[in-house]
Amino acid sequence: QLSVNVKDASIIRHNRNLSEMLGYSADEIKTMTMLDFYTDDENGALKAWQILGTIKSGNKIEVEATMRRKDGDVVWVLRLLK
């Protein structure tokens, strides 16, 4: 679970599963934005902006996107966001 400020993509709240999946500590995640987790391509960053726009408009979205772990590995995630 990840709660994001849609104005600047800063992270408001997250759960332990996100930390474990991406390899960041809770303290590290507090200093990051949602955009820091997504890869720099059409499967990552572009989808991250799409997610922010959809959430900002009050709609739900199910999206499959690529995220980058702290160690550099890429993982595919399927997320339902609202």
Side-chain angles (χ1 to χ4, degrees):
Q1 181 180 23
L2 178 66
S3 297
V4 176
N5 180 332
V6 294
K7 292 181 181 178
D8 63 4
S10 62
I11 297 169
I12 299 168
R13 183 178 59 224
H14 73 282
N15 66 12
R16 187 170 28 117
N17 291 338
L18 181 71
S19 294
E20 291 172 2
M21 179 178 71
L22 297 179
Y24 292 97
S25 70
D27 288 336
E28 288 174 308
I29 290 176
K30 289 177 188 174
T31 67
M32 302 171 81
T33 71
M34 180 183 106
L35 302 173
D36 293 326
F37 299 126
Y38 288 87
T39 57
D40 296 325
D41 60 18
E42 69 278 357
N43 293 317
L46 256 106
K47 290 202 178 176
W49 284 109
Q50 175 189 12
I51 291 165
L52 283 175
T54 302
I55 294 170
K56 193 182 276 189
S57 67
N59 295 314
K60 294 180 184 178
I61 182 173
E62 183 174 271
V63 65
E64 187 175 12
T66 52
M67 298 179 92
R68 188 169 308 281
R69 292 178 37 84
K70 183 178 180 178
D71 64 11
D73 286 348
V74 173
V75 294
W76 279 92
V77 296
L78 177 63
R79 302 182 65 204
L80 174 61
L81 303 152
K82 51 185 175 174

